[in-house]
PDB file of all heavy atoms in Angstrom:
ATOM      1  N   THR G  60     113.252  92.156 110.011  1.00  0.00           N
ATOM      2  CA  THR G  60     114.197  90.969 109.876  1.00  0.00           C
ATOM      3  C   THR G  60     115.121  91.358 108.931  1.00  0.00           C
ATOM      4  O   THR G  60     115.083  92.343 108.177  1.00  0.00           O
ATOM      5  CB  THR G  60     113.252  89.915 109.466  1.00  0.00           C
ATOM      6  OG1 THR G  60     112.823  90.074 107.966  1.00  0.00           O
ATOM      7  CG2 THR G  60     111.983  89.570 110.271  1.00  0.00           C
ATOM      8  N   ASP G  73      89.201  95.917 107.372  1.00  0.00           N
ATOM      9  CA  ASP G  73      87.911  96.274 106.660  1.00  0.00           C
ATOM     10  C   ASP G  73      88.063  97.824 106.529  1.00  0.00           C
ATOM     11  O   ASP G  73      89.060  98.436 106.777  1.00  0.00           O
ATOM     12  CB  ASP G  73      86.677  95.832 107.288  1.00  0.00           C
ATOM     13  CG  ASP G  73      86.625  96.338 108.804  1.00  0.00           C
ATOM     14  OD1 ASP G  73      87.271  97.250 109.181  1.00  0.00           O
ATOM     15  OD2 ASP G  73      85.732  95.785 109.514  1.00  0.00           O
ATOM     16  N   LEU G  95     108.742  92.710 101.859  1.00  0.00           N
ATOM     17  CA  LEU G  95     107.906  93.139 102.838  1.00  0.00           C
ATOM     18  C   LEU G  95     106.935  91.839 103.074  1.00  0.00           C
ATOM     19  O   LEU G  95     106.260  91.361 102.166  1.00  0.00           O
ATOM     20  CB  LEU G  95     106.989  94.255 102.350  1.00  0.00           C
ATOM     21  CG  LEU G  95     105.706  94.606 103.144  1.00  0.00           C
ATOM     22  CD1 LEU G  95     106.086  94.996 104.553  1.00  0.00           C
ATOM     23  CD2 LEU G  95     105.007  95.757 102.473  1.00  0.00           C
ATOM     24  N   THR G 103      90.960  87.950 111.025  1.00  0.00           N
ATOM     25  CA  THR G 103      89.704  87.104 111.198  1.00  0.00           C
ATOM     26  C   THR G 103      88.675  87.605 110.107  1.00  0.00           C
ATOM     27  O   THR G 103      87.663  86.875 109.912  1.00  0.00           O
ATOM     28  CB  THR G 103      89.055  87.621 112.637  1.00  0.00           C
ATOM     29  OG1 THR G 103      88.949  89.011 112.682  1.00  0.00           O
ATOM     30  CG2 THR G 103      89.929  87.104 113.721  1.00  0.00           C
ATOM     31  N   PHE G 104      88.946  88.598 109.405  1.00  0.00           N
ATOM     32  CA  PHE G 104      87.969  89.195 108.385  1.00  0.00           C
ATOM     33  C   PHE G 104      88.731  90.070 107.399  1.00  0.00           C
ATOM     34  O   PHE G 104      89.590  90.819 107.911  1.00  0.00           O
ATOM     35  CB  PHE G 104      86.785  89.845 108.997  1.00  0.00           C
ATOM     36  CG  PHE G 104      85.862  90.532 108.066  1.00  0.00           C
ATOM     37  CD1 PHE G 104      84.878  89.664 107.367  1.00  0.00           C
ATOM     38  CD2 PHE G 104      85.858  91.767 107.618  1.00  0.00           C
ATOM     39  CE1 PHE G 104      83.963  90.227 106.458  1.00  0.00           C
ATOM     40  CE2 PHE G 104      84.991  92.264 106.757  1.00  0.00           C
ATOM     41  CZ  PHE G 104      83.955  91.423 106.164  1.00  0.00           C
ATOM     42  N   ASP G 106      87.600  92.506 103.947  1.00  0.00           N
ATOM     43  CA  ASP G 106      86.643  92.812 102.990  1.00  0.00           C
ATOM     44  C   ASP G 106      87.308  93.408 101.777  1.00  0.00           C
ATOM     45  O   ASP G 106      88.599  93.466 101.688  1.00  0.00           O
ATOM     46  CB  ASP G 106      85.525  93.783 103.450  1.00  0.00           C
ATOM     47  CG  ASP G 106      86.083  95.185 103.904  1.00  0.00           C
ATOM     48  OD1 ASP G 106      87.276  95.497 103.678  1.00  0.00           O
ATOM     49  OD2 ASP G 106      85.275  95.971 104.430  1.00  0.00           O
ATOM     50  N   ALA G 120     105.898  98.379  98.228  1.00  0.00           N
ATOM     51  CA  ALA G 120     107.064  97.588  98.261  1.00  0.00           C
ATOM     52  C   ALA G 120     107.739  97.661  96.834  1.00  0.00           C
ATOM     53  O   ALA G 120     108.944  97.857  96.796  1.00  0.00           O
ATOM     54  CB  ALA G 120     106.809  96.078  98.568  1.00  0.00           C
ATOM     55  N   ASP G 134      91.702  80.933 104.493  1.00  0.00           N
ATOM     56  CA  ASP G 134      91.019  80.224 103.300  1.00  0.00           C
ATOM     57  C   ASP G 134      90.021  81.142 102.595  1.00  0.00           C
ATOM     58  O   ASP G 134      89.959  81.201 101.303  1.00  0.00           O
ATOM     59  CB  ASP G 134      90.328  78.973 103.694  1.00  0.00           C
ATOM     60  CG  ASP G 134      91.346  77.832 104.078  1.00  0.00           C
ATOM     61  OD1 ASP G 134      92.529  77.955 103.703  1.00  0.00           O
ATOM     62  OD2 ASP G 134      90.877  76.947 104.899  1.00  0.00           O
ATOM     63  N   LEU G 142      89.184  84.057  92.893  1.00  0.00           N
ATOM     64  CA  LEU G 142      87.970  84.593  92.108  1.00  0.00           C
ATOM     65  C   LEU G 142      88.512  85.844  91.226  1.00  0.00           C
ATOM     66  O   LEU G 142      88.030  85.953  90.124  1.00  0.00           O
ATOM     67  CB  LEU G 142      86.894  85.000  93.031  1.00  0.00           C
ATOM     68  CG  LEU G 142      86.143  83.902  93.515  1.00  0.00           C
ATOM     69  CD1 LEU G 142      85.121  84.399  94.466  1.00  0.00           C
ATOM     70  CD2 LEU G 142      85.373  83.189  92.451  1.00  0.00           C
ATOM     71  N   ILE G 151     102.666  83.935  97.983  1.00  0.00           N
ATOM     72  CA  ILE G 151     102.023  83.528  99.278  1.00  0.00           C
ATOM     73  C   ILE G 151     102.928  82.374  99.826  1.00  0.00           C
ATOM     74  O   ILE G 151     103.340  81.432  99.156  1.00  0.00           O
ATOM     75  CB  ILE G 151     100.677  83.068  98.995  1.00  0.00           C
ATOM     76  CG1 ILE G 151      99.807  84.245  98.522  1.00  0.00           C
ATOM     77  CG2 ILE G 151     100.028  82.439 100.210  1.00  0.00           C
ATOM     78  CD1 ILE G 151      98.389  83.877  98.047  1.00  0.00           C
TER      79      ILE G 151
END
Side-chain angles (χ1 to χ4, degrees):
T60 71
D73 58 19
L95 168 61
T103 59
F104 178 78
D106 69 5
D134 289 341
L142 285 172
I151 298 173

